[in-house]
Amino acid sequence: MPKLGRLFVAFCFAIAATMVSAQEKTGIKQGFQLQPGTARILLLEPSVRVGSQSTGGLFEPNADWTEQAKNNLERELSEVQGRLGNRVDRHELDGSSASAKLHDYNALFGAVASSVIEYQFFLGNRLPSKKKDKNEFSWSVGPGLKDVPALKGYDYILMIRTKDAFGSAGRKLLQIAAAFGGVGVTAGEHIGMAGLIDIRTGELVWLNADLQMGGDVRTTEGAVKRVSQLLEGFPGRGVQ
Amino acid sequence: MKLLTLLTGLTLVVSTSANAHKLIEPGLREGVAGGVFSVSVPTTMNRLQQKEGKFQEIWTVDGDGLNKIIFFGGVPDGEALLRQRDKKNNPLPRFNSKMLLAEIPAYLETSYRSYYGSPKVNIGEMSPVQFLNQKGIRFDYKYMSVEDEVVRSGMGYATVKEQKLYMIIFEAPEIFFYGRDIGVFEKIASSLRLL
Amino acid sequence: MMALSKALLRVAAVTCLASPSLGADTYTLPPYSPAYEPRTLDERGLWMEADVHEKRLAGSPMRIRDDHLSQYVRDVLCRTVGSDRCGGVRVYIVDIPAFNATMMPNGAMSVWSGLLLRVRSEAELGAVLGHEFAHFELRHSLLGFQNRRSNSDLAAWIQVLGAIAQRDVSDTQLSIVGSVYRFNREQEKQADLLGLKYLKSSPYPSRSASEVWQHLMEEADATAAGRMIRKKHQYSAGFFDTHPTELNRADYLLEEALKFNDPGEAGAKEHYKAVEKYLPRFLSSQIRLNDFGGTEYIVSGIAGHTGWTGALLQARADMYVSRGNVRDLITATTLYLNAIDSGYQRPEIYRGLGLGLIKLGRNDDGRKYLKLYLENVPDAQDKKMIQLYIDDAGGE
């Protein structure tokens, strides 16, 4: 794994600390509407990771937290998915070669979402060509998506990813120390994103993303809050 | 979770100044890659603030993860293609002006292995072409990025003039993006001139 | 399909404390009992992550899905640690040109192609696999993880004082298959000793463990020499990063092995037979690493067992071409010709030789070989490029 210059990384963090506030959270394809009762949505197995962040910034997975969070989020999702206005089915991602294509697309969803967040949502880093039309949101993985066998019979993919790293006590102290020194050190991360992809066209029609999400996902209430944030403004939802 | 890699991305250096990245309007543009090239731009693009080496300039439409064009404006004999991150333990191969054009793709591959830690780069077709008004090579390649596990396809044009390497490459995910944007790249490459 | 975490029921481990003792008698293997459940918070966290990682590893494009090769590795593992222990282990071979093998807490083992290239016998392969299995049996991954945490805590405080922050955000397959777990010297020693016990009970000579380290250190020295860096005899990069090694590690392994006094068939021939098909591919990836000295060492090491086969001569020639100094071209040319003379007439040799001769100004000879190349590979990817040289050599 290539080594990163430390100043490099430090600079990024310092900027990130200031930039978190100057960030948009949602994008939606211009004019996109989803009528309730008209679509079948495939929820790809959500990626849920919960752990703590040590003083050194290391992510330490915590089994109990992850299991709790996964259960809470899945439960809440299955509660809510009935109220999204359209039918939602869940799909497990396994390691078989039959699902290789879906894996490839899943990786690509991540790359597209990252680009949206990095070059559109972050106002200070927005690509100039995307500044002209504030309402423009055209991101796609292309027309090949509809040919993936596992997606047959579905109209949209719902992709959900969360990662929560709770700052340890050491990390919190470090953050205070760093704040005095003007160095940006994030304490805990609560990253989440939810994206809706039109299978027929491959377009990312909707994306919610936040690097500082609310709700402690280890608790039921927290998961409720988190899912509500993730799916805030979900197209075609009707009354919230 | 690749969101974190945003903040520690290999090429991300963000400035809080208003116009970190520059808009590239369609039309003739001069002075690309350190004043070396002129190019005819067919469509609106962006010049990224960051680069991975001294002799580079990077353009993109949607972000370097989805499409990027890199200009190499005259890498001299003895210099590496990209920034030397760890000269001792992981040195990048240096350009040797005696390289045959047919050896340039392998040179790019070795540089990528070292710079990106990429386990494998597959070189595809190679053909002789006119590039910058002299004999050059066109080649394509494919590799999987270790950062986001996306397979990317690439195409390059290169030539050696006065012991310097002039090259332009285009990379995009193999699914959809490469096919969509390769035409723009070809136009740019064919319009490239040395100033 | 059975959840991977249920596979742990089939995977046996010593059901003892986190720091198990190895028994008073240093020669006998501790008893092995099936049924193991991760218990502590950290442990379960690691198993869960391991299950997820294994799923992705199983579907990874970096994986070499060759049943023969996988079976070979499994057979060596089973011969080394015994069938009781190797029962539930899943082996994945990954095409990464570095020396490494890893074992996840749930019993999934990855073996990198760089490892298969470097070990010189079944016994050496068994020594490495056994060593990794020992970490697993001793449940070091848990302890290693905790150790890693405290190391980075310290580093973080120092860095803040130095106004630099650091974070490990690696979340890719490379980090999954790679060195996720770091062990300290004490754990390395424990794994070495348990590994030696496996070897003693196996048909393999236990001194092979020592030989592995000797070769790695020699290779590191050769790499440094090739880069004109002073040898430090302090090995810290690459594999050594997660397997801290002192100069005397090879020594104490040898010393222990001599006590066992267990000669045996190392199985060098068998190993090279098993990997023969892949050797050109592994060597080609190795050459791309831009490590002349280290590659030379590896190639010569293989030649010591198999003789200078055509594949090795070609690899050596490619190496010199890659370095590209003035005299290197002449050396490469000679080596290519030797390979051809030995009866190893691969198209890539014709290509390399042809281009080299052209660079040396021997255009007619160069053209001859390039023509041979295209005759052998009429639909070569670089056909048009090579044809240009044939038509117009000297016009570059």
Side-chain angles (χ1 to χ4, degrees), chain B residues 1 103 109 120 124-125 146, chain C residues 95 171-172 288 359 381:
Chain B
M1 174 59 70
E103 299 175 300
E109 178 186 355
K120 184 170 255 165
E125 255 192 57
V146 302
Chain C
D95 196 1
D171 188 28
T172 63
R288 288 270 168 272
K359 273 164 92 167
Q381 297 247 344

Side-chain angles (χ1 to χ4, degrees), chain C residues 145-327:
Chain C
F145 187 70
Q146 290 169 338
N147 284 330
R148 184 163 75 133
R149 173 171 51 193
S150 46
N151 281 341
S152 58
D153 275 355
L154 192 61
W157 279 110
I158 292 168
Q159 283 157 355
V160 164
L161 295 175
I164 296 172
Q166 184 184 47
R167 177 193 289 181
D168 177 0
V169 294
S170 48
D171 188 28
T172 63
Q173 298 219 0
L174 223 58
S175 75
I176 291 160
V177 304
S179 317
V180 178
Y181 309 109
R182 304 165 94 105
F183 306 114
N184 59 27
R185 278 180 174 75
E186 179 50 40
Q187 291 167 324
E188 285 301 309
K189 189 148 194 186
Q190 286 182 2
D192 279 345
L193 294 175
L194 182 53
L196 281 174
K197 286 192 198 179
Y198 298 144
L199 285 171
K200 177 170 191 293
S201 310
S202 79
Y204 299 131
S206 43
R207 71 170 181 286
S208 310
S210 168
E211 283 164 5
V212 172
W213 290 106
Q214 285 174 38
H215 296 152
L216 282 178
M217 289 191 287
E218 283 164 19
E219 182 191 330
D221 289 346
T223 299
R227 290 182 177 151
M228 321 252 231
I229 303 167
R230 208 180 25 192
K231 287 186 225 186
K232 287 174 293 183
H233 294 305
Q234 229 185 318
Y235 305 97
S236 55
F239 189 64
F240 297 110
D241 189 29
T242 47
H243 293 73
T245 293
E246 289 125 4
L247 204 52
N248 69 0
R249 186 170 186 174
D251 294 341
Y252 80 66
L253 282 170
L254 182 59
E255 212 178 288
E256 293 297 314
L258 288 174
K259 284 186 205 158
F260 291 170
N261 190 24
D262 65 328
E265 285 293 322
K269 245 197 347 251
E270 289 77 355
H271 173 70
Y272 286 113
K273 186 104 218 294
V275 301
E276 187 179 5
K277 192 172 92 169
Y278 283 93
L279 218 52
R281 171 176 167 177
F282 293 166
L283 285 167
S284 161
S285 294
Q286 168 65 29
I287 290 165
R288 288 270 168 272
L289 296 182
N290 197 33
D291 172 8
F292 186 87
T295 306
E296 167 98 274
Y297 177 79
I298 291 170
V299 173
S300 306
I302 299 173
H305 283 279
T306 64
W308 282 99
T309 62
L312 292 178
L313 288 167
Q314 182 195 330
R316 195 141 185 266
D318 289 340
M319 240 172 63
Y320 277 97
V321 167
S322 185
R323 189 170 74 173
N325 292 335
V326 173
R327 269 197 346 260

Side-chain angles (χ1 to χ4, degrees), chain B residues 1 4 8 88-89 91-93 96 98 100-103 106 109-110 113 119-120 124-128 135 137 144 146-147 149, chain C residues 56 61-62 95 97 167 169 171-174 227 229 281 285 288 290 321 324 351 355 359 381-382 384-385 388-389 392 395-396:
Chain B
M1 174 59 70
L4 284 185
T8 55
K88 253 199 210 166
N89 295 312
L92 284 164
N96 180 340
K98 293 203 178 42
L100 293 175
L101 291 179
E103 299 175 300
E109 178 186 355
T110 311
R113 291 230 191 189
K120 184 170 255 165
E125 255 192 57
M126 292 186 223
S127 322
K135 285 197 169 88
I137 181 176
M144 182 174 90
V146 302
E147 280 215 358
E149 298 160 36
Chain C
R56 291 163 73 190
M62 288 196 283
D95 196 1
R167 177 193 289 181
V169 294
D171 188 28
T172 63
Q173 298 219 0
L174 223 58
R227 290 182 177 151
I229 303 167
R281 171 176 167 177
S285 294
R288 288 270 168 272
N290 197 33
V321 167
R351 181 188 191 273
L355 290 177
K359 273 164 92 167
Q381 297 247 344
D382 55 356
K384 293 191 209 138
M385 198 67 211
L388 183 80
Y389 289 110
D392 188 54
E396 188 140 314

Side-chain angles (χ1 to χ4, degrees), chain B residues 44-159:
Chain B
T44 306
M45 304 190 73
N46 306 280
R47 173 192 165 169
L48 288 183
Q49 192 198 35
Q50 63 265 31
K51 22 185 220 189
E52 300 151 325
K54 252 190 292 188
F55 310 97
Q56 269 194 6
E57 186 167 318
I58 305 180
W59 291 7
T60 182
V61 175
D62 298 301
D64 51 327
L66 302 180
N67 38 55
K68 72 176 171 185
I69 293 178
I70 309 183
F71 300 86
F72 292 88
V75 182
D77 191 300
E79 289 274 349
L81 208 54
L82 304 162
R83 198 184 301 125
Q84 290 275 19
R85 286 209 266 232
D86 186 1
K87 243 186 236 186
K88 253 199 210 166
N89 295 312
N90 211 0
L92 284 164
R94 296 168 188 276
F95 172 64
N96 180 340
S97 57
K98 293 203 178 42
M99 280 178 189
L100 293 175
L101 291 179
E103 299 175 300
I104 305 286
Y107 172 62
L108 180 69
E109 178 186 355
T110 311
S111 303
Y112 270 28
R113 291 230 191 189
S114 177
Y115 190 80
Y116 293 115
S118 192
K120 184 170 255 165
V121 179
N122 291 318
I123 312 277
E125 255 192 57
M126 292 186 223
S127 322
V129 294
Q130 280 292 105
F131 180 59
L132 298 178
N133 260 333
Q134 59 176 59
K135 285 197 169 88
I137 181 176
R138 182 184 70 198
F139 59 96
D140 51 63
Y141 56 99
K142 207 181 274 208
Y143 71 102
M144 182 174 90
S145 162
V146 302
E147 280 215 358
D148 57 10
E149 298 160 36
V150 172
V151 174
R152 286 181 173 79
S153 295
M155 177 177 287
Y157 286 86
T159 191

Side-chain angles (χ1 to χ4, degrees), chain A residues 85-116:
Chain A
N86 288 287
R87 174 177 133 204
V88 178
D89 294 335
R90 199 192 116 103
H91 182 91
E92 191 99 357
L93 275 169
D94 61 41
S96 70
S97 40
S99 25
K101 210 60 190 163
L102 194 54
H103 258 287
D104 291 344
Y105 270 101
N106 197 29
L108 190 56
F109 295 153
V112 173
S114 295
S115 217
V116 176

